[in-house]
Amino acid sequence: MPNRSLPLSAYTATMAPTKFNFSAGPALLPKEVLLEAQKGLVDYEGTGMSVMEMSHRSANYDKVHRHCIDMIRKVLDIPTNYHVLLLAGGATYQFSAIPFNLLGDGNAVYVNTGTWSKKASTEAKRLFGERIKVVSTPTFTLPKVEDIEIPENCKYVYVCDNETVHGVEWPSAPVFGDVPLVADMSSNLFSRRLDISKYGMIYGCAQKNFGPAGLTVAIIREDLVGAAHPMCPVLMTYKTHVAKTWPAERNQDSLYNTPPTLCIWITMLVMEWIDRCGGIDGIEKMNRDKAAMLYNYIDSSPFWTTFVEGEIRSQMNVVFKCTKDDVDRAEILDFFQERGMSSLKGHKSLVGSLRASIYNAMPKEGVECLIQAMKDFEAAH
Ligand SMILES: *Cc1c(COP(=O)(O)O)cnc(C)c1O
């Protein structure tokens, strides 16, 4: 805690303002969206009310809710036999919800490829023990689909599509025959086009790539909803969140209780922003260009190196480090901060690492600015 006897300017004056925020999450949102949100925060479209102040049963909020789901469906081209659930709580809540809802009387395979899949499998195992089969791979690699053994009566295979800490991303959906694939896309949902039909369930918390913390979007095939464990808490049961009018009103899911209305509205604004950026294909192209720029530079410099090689490199979280042992990471981070770039420290589990999270809202200029700073730092050493 700062010493409160000093004026606030005493702290802020020493820190360069952030121009580019590379945080892994909660992460940056498009400036355009923040400005729109600022307006509606006080007076939503002339109603004289903030979105925060509206009943979730009111006509005005109803428009927001339906439009948010419609836009999510449009952006990802979601088939009509999938629900889009807007759930409160973080991605971690789903670590418990998934086995409770999907395991039934069977088994599940969890593919451990980093911090987040490990956390998910640990919780599933805590709840359901031996029925959860865990396949682990060496750090910074992904297994081959054909090397994963699927047991009898397997209800789903669980993967983390983008390991936010380790910077490993599945380049395409790992399909295991008819066994439903469940994917944690907390740090890459809405970053690229998906063939939704290859998945049983996709979910992602909002605060990495598309909204404020407090909302998780789950996209679930309709036949997978409805066979939850009898002890599954009511709000954790996916069926609870399905509209009574489904499938006629597919955009009326998630109104059983008060949903996180403010997060849903801001997510709706982000979906409209994606639409204006050329839709999911436009966003994907920007993301691929940004990631290629950064990886190409790192590959070309003997001063920097990545942890991950080849096509499994994350397009969202670039994990790297300095190859010189005598260079202090704090010095690098200060150097970046002086140039207005914040939150580039890697996860504590990867010693000495740096991480640039370059989500949808990171402009190309941010990546260019980072590359220039890396070049300048290298030149100064
Ligand atoms: C951040 C993250 C989580 C955890 O999200 P919470 O909302 O904090 O529970 C889970 N999975 C992945 C891949 C993440 O990046």
Side-chain angles (χ1 to χ4, degrees), residues 350-361:
L350 302 176
V351 179
S353 68
L354 298 155
R355 172 172 51 178
S357 295
I358 49 173
Y359 298 122
N360 286 358

Side-chain angles (χ1 to χ4, degrees), residues 10 40 127 133 271:
L127 290 167
K133 320 283 176 201
M271 292 304 125

Side-chain angles (χ1 to χ4, degrees), residues 90-93 95 116 160 162-164 184 186-187 205 207-208:
T92 307
Y93 193 74
F95 295 173
W116 290 112
C160 177
N162 182 62
E163 287 283 4
T164 320
D184 176 0
S186 290
S187 47
C205 54
Q207 73 269 22
K208 310 279 166 68

Side-chain angles (χ1 to χ4, degrees), residues 283-338:
I283 286 285
E284 174 166 352
K285 176 159 190 330
M286 286 192 271
N287 286 333
R288 293 206 184 277
D289 289 349
K290 285 183 293 179
M293 238 184 352
L294 187 49
Y295 283 119
N296 287 342
Y297 166 63
I298 294 171
D299 287 344
S300 73
S301 162
F303 195 81
W304 307 100
T305 186
T306 59
F307 289 72
V308 186
E309 295 298 331
E311 60 162 14
I312 64 169
R313 280 174 164 180
S314 170
Q315 303 292 297
M316 295 279 104
N317 311 96
V318 179
V319 183
F320 63 104
K321 67 177 179 185
C322 178
T323 53
K324 308 286 176 249
D325 292 337
D326 56 339
V327 176
D328 188 21
R329 182 175 64 168
E331 195 192 330
I332 305 174
L333 292 169
D334 283 348
F335 193 86
F336 290 158
Q337 185 72 57
E338 280 162 22

